Amino acid sequence: MSGGLHSWIHTAHLVALTVMFVATNLVIGRELPTASSAPDTSSFYRGVNLNGPPVVIDGNQWEGHEAKWLQCNDRAFENQLVPLDPPTDPERTKMIRSSRWGGNEVTINDIPPGRYTVYLYVWEDNDPEIYHVSINGAEVLSRHNSGRAGHWDKLGPWLINVKNQQIKITSKGGAANFSGIEVWQGERDSSTEPSTAEAEFFEKRIRPLLVNHCYECHSSESNEVQGRLLVDSRSAMRKGGDRGPAIVPGDPELSLLIKAVRYGESQLQMPPDRKLADHEIADLEHWVKMGAPDPRTRATKVSHKTIDLNSARSFWSYRPLVTTVVPTPTKSTARNEIDSFIEAELEKRELTPLPLADKRTLIRRATFDLTGLPPTPEEIDAFLADSSEHAFESVINRLLESPHYGERWGRHWLDVVRYSDSAGDNSDFPIPQMYLYRNWVIDAFNRDLPYDQFVREQLAGDLMESNSWDERNQRVIATGYLANARRFGSRVDDYPTHLTIEDTIDNLGRTFLGQSINCARCHDHKFDPITIDDYYGLYGFLSSTRYPWPGIELDQMQRDLVPLVPAEQARNALIAHQNREKELEAELARLERELSEADNANRPALKQQLAAARKQVNRHKKTLPDIPYAYAVAEGTQVDDVAIQFKGNPETRGEVVRRRFPTVLGGQELSVNDLSSGRMALADWIVDSANPLTSRVIVNRIWLHHFGRGLVTTPNEFGKQGKPPSNPALLDWLASRFIESGWSIKSMHRLIMQSRTYQTESVQDPATIPGDPANEFLSGFHRNRLDAETIRDTLLFVGGNLDTRSGGPHPFPPSSEWGFTQHHPFKAIYETNQRSVYLMTQRIQRHPYLAIFDGPDTSVSTPQRATSTTPLQSLYFMNNSFVHQQAELVAARLRSERSDDSSRIDLVYVRLLGRPPYQEELSAGLHYLKAVNVVLAEAGKTSEESQAQAWVSYVRSLFLLNEFVYVD
C-alpha cells in the first residue's frame, strides 16, 4: 500500500471514530408515480447549470456554477458547435453543451429534509460512452449509453428522501458529461407526451408490431421474461435488460432493438423464429430516429413469483396463532396444560406415560438443564430432605436465579447466531470487542429480558430511546448480533459487502423466523412462499446499516466502531490521539533531517533511531483512541431501497424493491416518511404478535433444550423443507402462552419443568415403546448426552478449580502488532479455567476440544448440537492432560474431605453421577483401589504415593462411564 493511500485510510478511520450515529442522506424508493397513475403534487425547487451562468429552463430560474450550495471539482468542458440531437430551445442547448466531466461528483448542499425528485441532464460530444449513475452512493441508472456526438438526455426522474441536507450525484465507468441538475419537491414525472402525429405513428405502426412479435416473451404478462427485457412501456424499453437499454432515442445504430431485428449478429436476432419484414424494420428505425416517442407512460416491471396468500397461509407455520382448547384425556395424570396435550396424543396411539423420575434424577436433570453444571451433594441432600409439594418448584426458582443460568442458556443462543470472536475473512481478524455482545446475551437471559425486547435490541438497539447512558451503551452492544456477521475476502476496493449482508439475512431468517430466506437471493424460493422481492425487501434494511470494519489483510485497522462514551469525550480522545501522532511524526521528520546532514560516524546510530521512530509511528496509526468501543452497527451513510441482484450478483440489477417484510408474513412496507435504515420497524414486525412464526420458533427452541428434541425437529426450518410439529396444538398453545406471559423465557421454563411430562423417567430402551420407538410423543424423557461445554465445565467443577467469574476480553495481540494475511491468518487458543462459554472461538479454525465433542460451527447457525460417538472422544478421556489434571484434583479433594475409601467412593459417586454407589459398585471400587495400591507398592511407590495415584486412576475410570456424560 502506498504511503498516500495508507495516510488517506488512516485519516478516514480516525474521522469515523467520533461518529456514533451517522446521518443518512436518502431513501431511493419505489417506482415513481407517472402522470397516468398518480397526481403530480411537486413544485420546482432548484436547478443548476453546472458549467455556466444562471439560465431559465421551462420557465424556471436556474442558478449557475457559482452557486454557494454547489460543490463540484470536475473538469469543465464546452463545445457550442456540436449540433444537438434532438434539437431543443436555445437556453437549454447552451446549458447542455457546457458541462462538467472527469469524476463525476456533484454535491448539492443546504437542502431541507424531505421528499424530492431529481433529474440529470447529460450529453455526448464525441464517441459513445457507457456509464453508471448513483445518488449518494446508491446506483440509480446502470449501463447508460450516451449515444453519438450531439445526443443528449434528461435522465430520471429519481425519487429520494433527503435527510442531512445533501444530494451527491456521481458516475463510474465511461466519461460522463453532466450538464445540469433539476430538483423538484415532492414526486414528479415530467416525461413529455408524444405529439398527435407521433402518437398516431406509434399506435398504427409500432405498438401492433411489438404486441405481435415481442410481447409473448418481453412483457410484464409473460410467463417467463426473457433476458429481463420488457418492451411494453416507455421506461422499460429505455432501461433495457441483460444487455442494456433496448433503444437509444434518436440513434438507431446504437439501439440494441434495431441491431436485433436486423439479424446482423448471430447471437442477437429477434424475433427468434423469423426476421421481420423490411417495412417493419424500417418503421422501427424511423421511430427510433424520431426519438422513440411513446405514449405508454405507465411503468412496467418484470413480474416475479405471485403468491397465493390464502394457499400459502394454509401451511401450518404461516397460520395465525389461535386460541387452543386444552384437551381432556380420559385417564389424565396431568399436572398442567402441557401434560393434557401430551397425554391426549399418547391416548390416540394407545401409549401410557412412564412413571415419574426419582428425586436424584430430577435434580441432576434440572441443574444441568438450567445451569450446565451438576448439582452439589449439598443441593441434592437439601432437595431430598424437602418433602413439600413445592420442593421442585423451589429448585427451579433457585437455578433460574443463578448467574450460571445465563451462561448456559446464553450459550444456546450464541450457537444459533453463530457467535465468533473473529471476523471470518481470509485472515480471520480477531475482534477484541466482541465479548461485550456475548456478555450482553448472558446478562439478558439472567435478567429475563422479555424476548420481544431481546429481539428489538439486537436488531435496532442503537435506534431505541434509552433512560441512561449505560442503557444506551448496552443496547448499542446488543447490535453486535448484526455486526458479528461473517466477513469475506481480503480486498478493499471491491470488498464483497453483499456476502456479509447475505450472511446476516440468512441468520436473521433462521434465528427469528425459522425460514431459509437466503434461498430467495438469486430466485424465488423453490419451496416456500418467499420471493426474490421479499429477499431484497429485507436486504435494504441491512444495506442501509453501517457495519463495523474488523480489518482485513489490505486494510488492517479497525474502524466504524461505536464509542461507548459521550461524543465530547470521544472527540477529546481523538484529538489526543491525533496530537500524539503529530508528535511522533515530528520526531520522525527531525531524525530524517539529522540523518541527511550527519557525517558517516553518526549515520548508523541515526538509522537505528529512524527505523524505531518509523515503526512507532506505524504502530500508533494502527491503534484506536483510548476509549471503550463496541463492535456494533449504526445507521449507514447511504440509506436506500435496493434493486434486485440477479443471480445474487450486485453488478446485474433489476427493479428497486421497497424495504418491507415478506409478503406471506404481512408484507408491511417501510413508511416513505421513515428516513432511517428501517431496522426498528423490521424488529417490530418480527415480534408483532400477529406474526405467527417468531413465538413458535422460540418456544420450540426452549422445548428443544429441555427435552433434547423440539416439537418441530428442524428448529431453523419451519418451511416445507422442515418437519411438521409432532404436537401442533401444544406448540400453538405454548406460543400464545409465551406472548401472554410478556415474552418471558423464565416463565416458559417454569411452565415446562413443572409439567409431569418433564419429570418422567427417561426411556432406557426405545424398543419397549413399539408405538413410538423414537419417543416422538414423549411417553418418557429423552436421555441426552452432555454437550462439549458442559462436559468441560463439569470436569472443572468437580475438580474444584472452576473460575466462576464472568469472562472478560481475550488476550489478543494489540492491534498495533497485527499483520495477519490469508497465508498467515490469526490463529490462537487461550486456555482458561472459566466456563466454556467464555472460550475464544474463531471462524476459520475450531477450538480443538470443541471440535472433538461436536461444538458449534461458528460460520453458520447451529440450531441443535450433533451427537457423535468417535474413538477420539474416548481417547480424549483416557489420555488428555486436562482430564488427568482434573482427575488429580478430584482425587485430592476426596482424600482431604473423607478419611476412608468407602466414604470417598460414596462422595465421588454423588459428586460425579448424582447418586450413591450400588453395593456392587462400592465393592468393585474398594477392590480396585486395593489392587492398584499393591501394584504401585511393588513398583517402589510409598504408601502415600500409592494411595494418591490409585485414587487418580479410579477417578479417571469413573470419568469414562457413560453415566458421567449422560443425563437421564
Side-chain angles (χ1 to χ4, degrees):
M1 182 182 295
S2 68
L5 178 59
H6 185 281
S7 177
W8 179 86
I9 291 176
H10 177 61
T11 301
H13 161 69
L14 290 177
V15 170
L17 293 175
T18 59
V19 182
M20 292 186 289
F21 299 98
V22 180
T24 53
N25 290 342
L26 71 136
V27 179
I28 298 177
R30 49 184 168 75
E31 291 281 331
L32 264 174
T34 64
S36 60
S37 63
D40 188 345
T41 59
S42 62
S43 61
F44 178 78
Y45 176 68
R46 183 179 288 175
V48 59
N49 181 4
L50 292 173
N51 191 36
V55 292
V56 176
I57 303 293
D58 296 330
N60 297 312
Q61 180 64 55
W62 286 29
E63 296 194 45
H65 68 281
E66 295 182 348
K68 294 181 179 179
W69 40 260
L70 176 66
Q71 182 179 343
C72 180
N73 297 319
D74 298 329
R75 284 173 282 181
F77 173 80
E78 183 173 8
N79 187 345
Q80 295 294 340
L81 300 178
V82 179
L84 292 188
D85 181 19
T88 186
D89 59 86
E91 284 282 273
R92 198 185 320 263
T93 296
K94 189 172 182 180
M95 180 271 294
I96 290 171
R97 293 191 297 203
S98 180
S99 54
R100 306 295 286 269
W101 73 287
N104 288 77
E105 184 174 306
V106 180
T107 302
I108 300 176
N109 296 303
D110 302 330
I111 299 180
R115 200 160 177 79
Y116 294 83
T117 304
V118 177
Y119 299 89
L120 173 66
Y121 282 87
V122 297
W123 78 300
E124 182 53 62
D125 66 286
N126 203 330
D127 295 327
E129 300 276 359
I130 305 293
Y131 54 84
H132 308 258
V133 178
S134 297
I135 299 182
N136 285 14
E139 188 174 288
V140 292
L141 180 64
S142 62
R143 298 190 300 272
H144 175 69
N145 190 319
S146 67
R148 298 184 185 275
H151 181 77
W152 67 277
D153 283 293
K154 180 182 179 181
L155 303 178
W158 298 309
L159 180 63
I160 65 172
N161 279 343
V162 174
K163 185 175 180 180
N164 73 337
Q165 302 185 329
Q166 188 178 87
I167 296 174
K168 181 183 291 185
I169 304 178
T170 59
S171 70
K172 67 176 182 179
N177 283 324
F178 285 7
S179 299
I181 298 172
E182 187 175 310
V183 181
W184 292 71
Q185 284 185 315
E187 301 180 2
R188 176 176 178 79
D189 184 359
S190 63
S191 303
T192 57
E193 295 294 327
S195 66
T196 301
E198 290 171 335
E200 184 177 358
F201 180 83
F202 179 86
E203 295 297 347
K204 289 184 176 181
R205 304 285 190 89
I206 303 303
R207 189 194 289 268
L209 190 156
L210 296 174
V211 170
N212 293 332
H213 298 286
C214 306
Y215 272 30
E216 182 179 352
C217 299
H218 297 288
S219 76
S220 56
E221 301 301 320
S222 302
N223 290 330
E224 186 173 351
V225 176
Q226 300 298 310
R228 297 197 297 276
L229 170 65
L230 297 180
V231 298
D232 57 353
S233 70
R234 176 170 59 195
S235 61
M237 291 196 76
R238 299 189 182 201
K239 180 179 180 180
D242 287 344
R243 292 174 176 261
I247 57 173
V248 178
D251 197 333
E253 302 305 316
L254 292 179
S255 297
L256 289 174
L257 175 66
I258 303 304
K259 291 181 180 180
V261 298
R262 286 174 175 171
Y263 270 53
E265 300 178 17
S266 60
Q267 301 299 316
L268 185 61
Q269 297 181 350
M270 290 293 161
D273 51 350
R274 69 173 181 84
K275 186 178 179 181
L276 295 177
D278 289 345
H279 73 275
E280 291 175 314
I281 296 174
D283 283 343
L284 285 170
E285 291 172 340
H286 179 63
W287 176 62
V288 173
K289 285 182 181 178
M290 294 167 61
D294 192 337
R296 300 172 303 165
T297 57
R298 183 180 293 276
T300 58
K301 62 180 182 179
V302 177
S303 299
H304 299 291
K305 183 177 182 179
T306 301
I307 296 176
D308 181 340
L309 290 179
N310 289 332
S311 174
R313 289 170 180 165
S314 67
F315 187 71
W316 72 267
S317 64
Y318 303 124
R319 293 176 197 152
L321 292 175
V322 295
T323 302
T324 307
V325 177
V326 179
T328 307
T330 305
K331 298 178 181 179
S332 178
T333 59
R335 293 187 173 184
N336 64 20
E337 296 90 340
I338 289 175
D339 299 323
S340 297
F341 283 102
I342 294 296
E343 290 178 9
E345 288 296 319
L346 293 176
E347 268 190 10
K348 291 179 186 177
R349 293 161 178 79
E350 299 181 350
L351 298 171
T352 304
L354 293 181
L356 292 172
D358 64 75
K359 294 184 77 172
R360 287 184 179 275
T361 298
L362 198 55
I363 190 172
R364 187 169 188 263
R365 178 187 300 174
T367 308
F368 272 122
D369 203 350
L370 290 181
T371 69
L373 295 170
T376 65
E378 294 76 19
E379 290 167 345
I380 295 172
D381 289 342
F383 181 49
L384 294 175
D386 188 347
S387 59
S388 71
E389 61 177 320
H390 300 295
F392 189 55
E393 180 182 355
S394 298
V395 168
I396 295 171
N397 289 332
R398 173 178 59 79
L399 294 172
L400 289 175
E401 292 304 312
S402 167
H404 298 312
Y405 161 75
E407 293 168 333
R408 172 64 170 166
W409 282 78
R411 180 63 259 179
H412 293 325
W413 184 257
L414 296 175
D415 278 14
V416 176
V417 300
R418 43 84 176 100
Y419 173 84
S420 176
D421 292 296
S422 64
D425 58 282
N426 290 355
S427 309
D428 206 23
F429 270 67
I431 306 172
Q433 306 83 7
M434 201 64 234
Y435 79 96
L436 293 171
Y437 170 72
R438 175 201 68 201
N439 288 3
W440 178 87
V441 169
I442 293 169
D443 181 64
F445 274 94
N446 279 330
R447 290 186 289 128
D448 197 22
L449 182 67
Y451 183 72
D452 58 342
Q453 187 75 355
F454 183 68
V455 174
R456 286 189 180 97
E457 292 190 16
Q458 290 179 86
L459 295 178
D462 58 311
L463 305 179
M464 298 173 69
E465 293 185 4
S466 299
N467 296 318
S468 67
W469 187 257
D470 180 66
E471 184 177 64
R472 174 264 181 193
N473 283 348
Q474 290 304 309
R475 287 176 172 173
V476 166
I477 289 168
T479 67
Y481 161 69
L482 295 174
N484 200 216
R486 188 175 179 184
R487 308 311 166 89
F488 301 85
S490 59
R491 297 169 61 90
V492 178
D493 293 339
D494 56 351
Y495 187 75
T497 302
H498 65 288
L499 296 180
T500 294
I501 294 176
E502 180 208 358
D503 179 73
T504 308
I505 293 174
D506 178 35
N507 190 266
L508 183 151
R510 295 179 190 278
T511 296
F512 301 112
L513 303 172
Q515 298 289 293
S516 53
I517 294 174
N518 64 310
C519 289
R521 174 190 171 201
C522 303
H523 49 70
D524 294 333
H525 202 294
K526 297 296 185 183
F527 303 99
D528 297 332
I530 305 292
T531 66
I532 194 171
D533 292 61
D534 290 329
Y535 180 90
Y536 288 98
L538 294 172
Y539 191 104
F541 295 106
L542 300 165
S543 66
S544 300
T545 297
R546 187 194 73 185
Y547 286 73
W549 182 261
I552 59 173
E553 179 175 349
L554 299 179
D555 183 3
Q556 301 220 354
M557 296 176 290
Q558 284 191 316
R559 63 173 182 270
D560 292 336
L561 277 62
V562 181
L564 296 178
V565 296
E568 183 177 357
Q569 186 177 344
R571 281 193 297 270
N572 292 337
L574 175 61
I575 292 170
H577 192 273
Q578 292 172 328
N579 289 340
R580 176 57 179 160
E581 184 174 324
K582 291 176 183 177
E583 293 173 0
L584 294 173
E585 288 179 334
E587 175 64 11
L588 180 64
R590 182 188 67 79
L591 290 170
E592 287 173 340
R593 288 193 303 271
E594 287 188 12
L595 180 63
S596 65
E597 300 169 356
D599 55 30
N600 291 337
N602 293 321
R603 290 180 66 82
L606 282 171
K607 283 184 177 180
Q608 288 184 354
Q609 294 178 44
L610 186 62
R614 187 172 288 117
K615 184 177 181 180
Q616 192 172 8
V617 169
N618 291 336
R619 285 169 58 95
H620 182 79
K621 287 183 176 181
K622 294 171 72 173
T623 63
L624 297 169
D626 189 19
I627 55 173
Y629 293 93
Y631 190 77
V633 303
E635 291 290 81
T637 55
Q638 171 190 325
V639 174
D640 53 24
D641 300 325
V642 297
I644 290 172
Q645 300 171 7
F646 291 107
K647 298 182 179 179
N649 183 355
E651 299 301 318
T652 57
R653 303 187 182 194
E655 303 292 337
V656 171
V657 179
R658 183 65 181 155
R659 278 166 286 165
R660 61 176 174 81
F661 208 42
T663 304
V664 73
L665 299 178
Q668 302 95 317
E669 284 194 356
L670 187 66
S671 168
V672 295
N673 297 317
D674 190 335
L675 303 183
S676 72
S677 65
R679 284 182 286 116
M680 192 72 254
L682 174 61
D684 287 339
W685 296 334
I686 287 176
V687 298
D688 190 324
S689 58
N691 172 11
L693 286 173
T694 303
S695 57
R696 282 186 178 128
V697 168
I698 187 59
V699 297
N700 187 65
R701 294 195 194 281
I702 298 170
W703 186 274
L704 159 68
H705 292 301
H706 280 302
F707 290 95
R709 177 191 181 109
L711 293 168
V712 178
T713 57
T714 52
N716 270 11
E717 181 55 87
F718 276 43
K720 292 183 179 179
Q721 291 179 288
K723 300 293 184 182
S726 58
N727 198 321
L730 172 57
L731 179 65
D732 275 17
W733 184 84
L734 289 170
S736 298
R737 180 71 172 266
F738 181 61
I739 295 172
E740 292 168 4
S741 75
W743 302 78
S744 168
I745 290 177
K746 287 189 176 182
S747 292
M748 190 56 51
H749 290 312
R750 294 184 177 96
L751 180 66
I752 291 173
M753 296 178 73
Q754 291 184 69
S755 69
R756 187 188 188 283
T757 304
Y758 180 83
Q759 298 176 34
T760 54
E761 288 182 351
S762 63
V763 177
Q764 302 295 318
D765 183 3
T768 61
I769 313 177
D772 185 20
N775 195 29
E776 182 178 0
F777 299 100
L778 291 174
S779 299
F781 198 79
H782 290 286
R783 194 181 198 209
N784 298 309
R785 197 183 77 183
L786 301 179
D787 59 29
E789 292 87 347
T790 306
I791 292 173
R792 179 180 174 276
D793 292 350
T794 298
L795 288 170
L796 288 167
F797 186 77
V798 297
N801 59 327
L802 176 65
D803 183 349
T804 59
R805 293 174 299 172
S806 177
H810 299 296
F812 292 124
S815 60
S816 60
E817 297 178 5
W818 289 359
F820 310 115
T821 69
Q822 61 179 326
H823 300 297
H824 299 284
F826 167 72
K827 290 185 178 181
I829 298 170
Y830 302 128
E831 299 297 341
T832 176
N833 282 353
Q834 292 182 301
R835 294 205 63 177
S836 301
V837 69
Y838 300 120
L839 288 173
M840 193 277 290
T841 56
Q842 287 191 242
R843 288 215 158 105
I844 68 168
Q845 73 163 7
R846 297 179 76 181
H847 190 286
Y849 166 78
L850 297 177
I852 293 173
F853 289 98
D854 309 306
D857 186 338
T858 53
S859 292
V860 296
S861 177
T862 303
Q864 185 172 5
R865 298 285 182 92
T867 302
S868 66
T869 303
T870 69
L872 280 177
Q873 294 166 353
S874 296
L875 290 170
Y876 178 87
F877 270 99
M878 292 172 65
N879 301 320
N880 187 267
S881 60
F882 170 70
V883 176
H884 287 204
Q885 172 191 319
Q886 294 309 117
E888 291 172 2
L889 291 171
V890 171
R893 287 184 70 192
L894 292 167
R895 295 181 66 235
S896 67
E897 294 172 5
R898 296 290 188 271
S899 59
D900 64 279
D901 285 345
S902 292
S903 60
R904 289 169 182 163
I905 292 175
D906 281 339
L907 180 58
V908 74
Y909 263 79
V910 174
R911 190 165 278 164
L912 299 188
L913 308 180
R915 64 171 178 82
Y918 302 123
Q919 183 58 47
E920 56 268 30
E921 291 171 328
L922 176 61
S923 299
L926 292 171
H927 176 77
Y928 177 85
L929 290 168
K930 182 177 180 180
V932 172
N933 268 289
V934 170
V935 171
L936 291 173
E938 292 175 350
K941 300 293 183 182
T942 66
S943 174
E944 177 64 24
E945 290 173 336
S946 296
Q947 288 186 27
Q949 292 184 25
W951 263 101
V952 171
S953 175
Y954 181 61
V955 170
R956 285 170 53 198
S957 71
L958 296 180
F959 283 169
L960 290 169
L961 293 174
N962 264 3
E963 193 175 351
F964 178 63
V965 293
Y966 276 83
V967 175
D968 283 324

